[in-house]
């Protein structure tokens, strides 16, 4: 089997494993369980972190946009690392320093990050006098995604006892989830790029990403305005 | 470049339409385009933007106090249901001389038996609490004595019930409630 074929196969296996995780949404159950924990719970938080990432459609869509035109594994690793540095920083700082940001606003910005990346993919920033370095953009958006993760974690009242260990475990989980998701995405893209239809459908897919990113942002903004934060 | 800006704008327009048409009705019970009602998406979220559940709800009728006593021989069962309108409140207290199997459930007038919902069930010798009728219909208990001795069940209620029906041995008996 060719190298690409093997990557694709592994990617598909990983994706199939990820599907039950995606489908299994026990959000309220998780929250209740976490709230009952005192002290370190490595495995629980690692799993929660991975689950948050794999079921986080906004994070996944952004990653799809980021790796869409990255052919070389080296580049995928570079951008994934930049994203990781970004979201780890704000996740850790946000929870430890107890930054408070409205979750709806942060999630709306994350939605817009998807739009940004897809717009860049269709060449939206070509011929602009100044356009951000894609690597810097991924790092900065990583910071936003991390704030999103932090607000989700803050919603679960975490016991101070073992907070550092649990937080670190959660972050490790997020990275594991990211690896799983990236593997599946990169494998599917690698296979797809070999199809003749790719060039034509690339535009369509990025357009769809923009639509989805806007829907996400609007959905979060609606939540913001409908919640007491928006009307107070 | 202008084409791409136009594409981004087009994406925004499409996204807005989809959000207004499907996402807001499904997630927030908002239906600015009326599509939620047409497609039956409203209520998906389980949220009620219905603010008619008041903190204080004056009623047109006076509350009724009622007491029911049932003697259940071994393995006998009885069902008793009150008529309650949607939103009507009932405080209840029932006790039995020994453990019984019970099920508090309600059957809506619209929907009937198929739409029956059970709110509390188990095996115990009493329960007390409050109940706010989620719909117009009949609301009450099933008690079954699973022991080899006679058991007496006494239920006391105070609320806005408008009538009661006993279901025993395939008989349906309407009863007068109130003291």
């Amino acid at each position: 089997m060719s190298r690409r074929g093997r990557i694709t196969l592994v990617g598909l296996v990983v994706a199939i494993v990820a599907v039950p995780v995606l489908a299994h949404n026990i959000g309220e159950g998780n929250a209740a369980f976490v709230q009952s924990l005192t002290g370190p719970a490595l495995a629980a938080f690692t799993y929660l972190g991975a689950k948050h990432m794999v079921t986080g459609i906004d994070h996944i869509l952004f990653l799809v946009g980021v790796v869409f035109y990255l052919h070389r594994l080296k580049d995928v690793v570079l951008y994934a690392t930049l994203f990781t540095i970004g979201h780890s920083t704000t996740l850790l700082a946000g929870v430890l320093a107890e930054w408070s940001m409205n979750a709806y606003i942060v999630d709306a910005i994350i939605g817009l990050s998807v739009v940004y990346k897809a717009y860049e993919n269709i060449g939206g920033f070509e011929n602009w006098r100044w356009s951000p370095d894609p690597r810097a953009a991924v790092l900065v958006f990583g910071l936003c995604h991390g704030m999103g993760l932090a607000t989700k974690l803050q919603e679960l009242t975490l016991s101070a006892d073992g907070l550092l260990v649990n937080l670190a475990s959660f972050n490790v989980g997020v990275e594991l989830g990211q690896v799983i998701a990236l593997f599946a995405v990169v494998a599917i893209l690698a296979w797809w790029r070999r199809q003749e239809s790719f060039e034509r459908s690339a535009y369509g897919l990025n357009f769809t990403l923009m639509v989805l990113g806007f829907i996400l942002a609007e959905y979060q903004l609606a939540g913001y305005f409908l919640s007491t934060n928006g009307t107070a | 470049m202008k084409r791409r800006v136009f594409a981004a704008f087009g994406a925004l327009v499409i996204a807005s339409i989809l959000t207004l048409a499907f996402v807001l009705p499904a997630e927030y019970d908002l239906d600015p385009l009326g599509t939620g009602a047409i497609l039956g998406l409203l209520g998906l979220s389980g949220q009620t933007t219905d603010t008619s559940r008041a903190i204080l709800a004056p009623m047109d009728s006076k509350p009724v106090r009622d007491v029911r006593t049932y003697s259940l021989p071994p393995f006998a069962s009885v069902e008793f249901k009150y008529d309650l309108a949607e939103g009507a409140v009932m405080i209840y207290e029932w006790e039995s001389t020994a453990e019984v199997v019970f099920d508090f459930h309600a059957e809506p007038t619209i929907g009937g038996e198929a739409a029956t919902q059970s709110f509390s069930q188990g095996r115990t010798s009493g329960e007390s609490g409050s109940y706010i009728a989620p719909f117009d219909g009949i609301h009450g208990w099933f008690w079954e004595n699973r022991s080899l001795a006679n058991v007496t069940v006494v239920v006391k209620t105070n609320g806005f019930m408008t009538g009661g029906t006993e279901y025993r041995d395939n008989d349906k008996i309407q009863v007068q409630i109130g003291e």
Side-chain angles (χ1 to χ4, degrees):
Chain A
M1 198 187 287
S2 70
R3 188 158 179 268
R4 272 191 175 153
R6 266 182 276 139
I7 293 175
T8 310
L9 185 62
V10 174
L12 281 173
V13 169
V14 169
I16 290 167
V17 167
V19 165
V21 179
L22 258 164
H24 190 212
N25 184 10
I26 40 169
E28 277 169 23
N30 285 165
F33 176 73
V34 167
Q35 255 146 314
S36 71
L37 289 173
T38 44
L42 252 101
F45 277 93
T46 307
Y47 179 81
L48 278 178
K51 185 179 151 186
H52 254 104
M53 193 50 150
V54 174
T55 58
I57 187 80
D58 47 357
H59 303 302
I60 303 293
L61 287 180
F62 182 70
L63 284 175
V64 170
V66 167
V67 304
F68 197 85
Y69 280 123
L70 301 180
H71 304 270
R72 297 178 298 177
L73 196 63
K74 192 168 79 144
D75 292 326
V76 173
V77 170
L78 169 67
Y79 279 88
T81 306
L82 288 168
F83 186 61
T84 298
I85 293 172
H87 73 62
S88 297
T89 306
T90 40
L91 169 59
L92 294 170
V95 174
L96 291 174
E98 289 180 39
W99 289 345
S100 100
M101 274 197 73
N102 189 294
Y104 290 117
I105 301 293
V106 174
D107 286 341
I109 295 174
I110 292 176
L112 292 178
S113 73
V114 175
V115 175
Y116 176 96
K117 198 58 214 166
Y119 183 68
E120 187 180 28
N121 284 347
I122 60 168
F125 293 124
E126 282 172 26
N127 304 324
W128 279 38
R129 253 173 301 145
W130 172 85
S131 63
D133 184 327
R135 294 166 299 181
V138 170
L139 181 65
V140 168
F141 281 125
L143 294 171
C144 300
H145 282 244
M147 263 325 290
L149 294 170
T151 52
K152 299 298 171 310
L153 209 47
Q154 284 169 341
E155 273 166 30
L156 317 167
T157 42
L158 304 165
S159 86
D161 180 25
L163 179 65
L164 261 173
V165 171
N166 292 338
L167 186 52
S169 307
F170 187 81
N171 204 1
V172 169
V174 168
E175 305 322 324
L176 286 175
Q178 184 176 298
V179 167
I180 292 174
L182 266 179
F183 220 5
V185 169
V186 168
I188 293 170
L189 276 175
W191 168 84
W192 189 15
R193 263 188 225 118
R194 297 168 67 204
Q195 314 306 310
E196 279 171 17
S197 56
F198 184 70
E199 281 312 314
R200 276 174 291 137
S201 39
Y203 184 86
L205 182 73
N206 280 296
F207 185 82
T208 306
L209 276 180
M210 283 200 290
V211 173
L212 292 174
F214 276 129
I215 291 180
L216 279 172
E218 289 179 25
Y219 166 59
Q220 297 295 342
L221 283 173
Y224 174 76
F225 286 114
L226 288 170
S227 70
T228 45
N229 299 305
T231 51
Chain B
M1 186 203 84
K2 270 196 193 140
R3 235 183 331 144
R4 285 146 196 174
V5 174
F6 190 68
F9 189 71
L12 176 59
V13 169
I14 294 177
S16 305
I17 294 172
L18 291 175
T19 306
L20 290 172
F22 300 108
V23 178
L24 290 187
E27 298 292 329
Y28 297 119
D29 250 8
L30 290 174
D31 201 11
L33 301 179
T35 42
I38 297 170
L39 296 167
L41 288 171
L42 298 173
L44 242 182
S45 63
Q47 270 182 1
T48 36
T49 43
D50 168 37
T51 47
S52 63
R53 170 89 67 221
I55 290 169
L56 182 97
M59 303 284 283
D60 293 325
S61 53
K62 290 204 184 335
V64 166
R65 276 183 197 274
D66 191 45
V67 182
R68 304 263 128 219
T69 308
Y70 295 106
S71 291
L72 296 175
F75 303 108
S77 66
V78 68
E79 256 192 65
F80 181 79
K81 302 268 206 347
Y82 286 107
D83 299 317
L84 284 159
E86 185 183 322
V89 170
M90 174 175 76
I91 309 285
Y92 68 91
E93 180 196 336
W94 69 264
E95 268 183 333
S96 53
T97 51
E99 256 188 15
V100 288
V101 165
F102 83 98
D103 186 325
F104 182 93
H105 55 285
E107 189 186 303
T109 314
I110 302 170
E113 215 179 304
T116 300
Q117 282 181 52
S118 173
F119 299 105
S120 183
Q121 62 284 121
R123 193 175 188 138
T124 180
S125 56
E127 188 180 84
S128 57
S130 58
Y131 176 71
I132 305 174
F135 40 69
D136 290 348
I138 49 177
H139 317 251
W141 293 266
F142 163 83
W143 290 284
E144 187 173 72
N145 174 9
R146 294 265 183 92
S147 70
L148 295 168
N150 289 333
V151 171
T152 307
V153 179
V154 178
V155 59
K156 301 179 189 165
T157 51
N158 184 357
F160 293 91
M161 306 82 72
T162 50
T165 314
E166 233 169 65
Y167 303 80
R168 194 163 191 163
D169 305 320
N170 297 319
D171 287 326
K172 192 169 133 175
I173 314 159
Q174 279 205 299
V175 296
Q176 274 284 91
I177 60 170
E179 286 164 355

